[in-house]
Amino acid sequence: MIKYDLSTSDQVQHAIGVLKEYLLFHSKQEFKISSQLEARIKKTINLAESKITTKATNQLSTTKEEYFRNINSPFNLFSDSRKSIRNYSEEDIPIESIKSALNIVLNTPSACNRQTSRAYIFKNKNQIKEIIDIQGGAGGFGYLANKLVVITAELGVFGGAHERYQAYIDGGIFAMNMLYALHANSIACCILNCSNAPGKDKRLHKICEIDRNEVFIAMISCGYPTDNFSIATSHRYELNRICHIK
Ligand SMILES: Cc1cc2nc3c(=O)[nH]c(=O)nc-3n(C[C@H](O)[C@H](O)[C@H](O)COP(=O)(O)O)c2cc1C
């Protein structure tokens, strides 16, 4: 079993660094976060600091040109240049640009080629806010999204309980392809989870007006970036941590 020990895990150390950056960022913006949240973060940092000193992680400052510099580069550079962007300008994304990305995503592989993934493009700001409020993981930036793409999977084509994960597997592949397609179309985005408890799930179905025979896979907030913006750094494992030759 892998132990996520603070003194040895670079991932845990990175997480503590992110918490430090979170406090610093809000204090620089003179934005008061709830005292309860601040206390919990500080408690976690102090606990960590009793074992090891970590530095606040820096967000990556970039420009729109720099961020999309590799969209026509070989796949390794293209793939590496995609990041979750949580800061959008007010510029409108034409629906046609999102549809053009989806047109690429039609090539997504799926089990038995059943193509169960569906995409709903929301363009009304109030409706986007309502959906994002229920989603709950984009409080600080979701309201800036110019478009929101909700990805679902249709369950009707599956043949039995043994296929219970297939919609999510196919949907996940579809969602990743969509992130790349949006990136290729110079649209900044952030994928948002839809792993909801039943109550939230029902509310989302209702507010999105999506039939109950479809399950939520994820949603993607989209926008054009501002001229200058910051990107959250998300630490990755080394290859030998995840790759095992048997
Ligand atoms: C299924 C899924 C759900 C996610 N949900 C959220 C979310 O609710 N809020 C958020 O800010 N980021 C969310 N993310 C983005 C991850 O935090 C991000 O992909 C990860 O830190 C790696 O960073 P990168 O996308 O910049 O490479 C989600 C990512 C995935 C794949």
Side-chain angles (χ1 to χ4, degrees):
M1 177 185 321
I2 295 169
K3 274 195 157 182
Y4 291 89
D5 182 69
L6 185 64
S7 46
T8 52
S9 168
D10 51 354
Q11 196 69 41
V12 179
Q13 286 166 18
H14 180 78
I16 299 297
V18 169
L19 288 179
K20 283 186 161 183
E21 165 67 7
Y22 184 86
L23 289 184
L24 268 176
F25 179 81
H26 285 86
S27 118
K28 270 189 217 152
Q29 309 291 322
E30 295 181 5
F31 186 94
K32 183 91 192 90
I33 56 174
S34 88
S35 44
Q36 211 185 4
L37 177 63
E38 189 173 355
R40 282 178 63 192
I41 292 178
K42 283 188 170 159
K43 191 176 163 197
T44 310
I45 292 173
N46 288 340
L47 191 72
E49 302 270 273
S50 66
K51 291 196 168 189
I52 196 158
T53 311
T54 50
K55 281 199 293 200
T57 56
N58 286 324
Q59 295 188 67
L60 243 105
S61 294
T62 191
T63 61
K64 191 164 42 171
E65 285 70 32
E66 179 63 20
Y67 179 62
F68 291 121
R69 188 166 59 100
N70 280 316
I71 59 172
N72 293 314
S73 299
F75 186 70
N76 59 333
L77 295 177
F78 168 78
S79 160
D80 210 38
S81 70
R82 181 221 54 85
K83 310 283 175 212
S84 290
I85 305 301
R86 301 175 175 88
N87 195 350
Y88 314 113
S89 71
E90 287 182 0
E91 192 181 342
D92 191 53
I93 307 172
I95 289 281
E96 282 314 312
S97 294
I98 308 269
K99 283 175 78 178
S100 131
L102 277 167
N103 215 21
I104 302 172
V105 176
L106 290 175
N107 69 15
T108 304
S110 61
C112 306
N113 199 24
R114 286 180 193 156
Q115 304 172 68
T116 55
S117 300
R118 306 285 177 264
Y120 297 87
I121 306 170
F122 289 88
K123 55 182 174 27
N124 178 292
K125 276 269 184 188
N126 294 333
Q127 202 177 9
I128 290 176
K129 188 179 175 314
E130 278 182 296
I131 297 170
I132 292 276
D133 282 350
I134 297 177
Q135 190 271 341
F141 65 95
Y143 68 97
L144 297 171
N146 181 265
K147 300 282 181 297
L148 182 73
V149 181
V150 173
I151 298 173
T152 68
E154 137 93 81
L155 292 181
V157 299
F158 292 111
H162 64 288
E163 289 192 295
R164 64 194 172 282
Y165 304 124
Q166 206 55 58
Y168 299 99
I169 295 164
D170 291 358
I173 298 171
F174 182 94
M176 183 69 238
N177 207 7
M178 183 65 179
L179 295 183
Y180 281 141
L182 289 167
H183 189 50
N185 280 11
S186 300
I187 296 171
C189 58
C190 182
I191 183 163
L192 304 169
N193 88 78
C194 285
S195 307
N196 300 321
K200 220 181 195 187
D201 203 64
K202 261 190 195 156
R203 282 198 287 149
L204 261 190
H205 270 98
K206 192 165 175 219
I207 204 149
C208 296
E209 297 176 348
I210 288 173
D211 287 345
R212 299 284 293 162
N213 61 327
E214 290 177 33
V215 289
F216 289 104
I217 302 297
M219 46 184 84
I220 303 177
S221 59
C222 304
Y224 287 127
T226 48
D227 290 340
N228 298 285
F229 61 102
S230 299
I231 304 176
T233 50
S234 292
H235 184 70
R236 295 302 206 271
Y237 290 132
E238 300 286 329
L239 182 63
N240 63 10
R241 173 74 183 269
I242 60 107
C243 172
H244 309 282
I245 316 284
K246 295 273 193 192

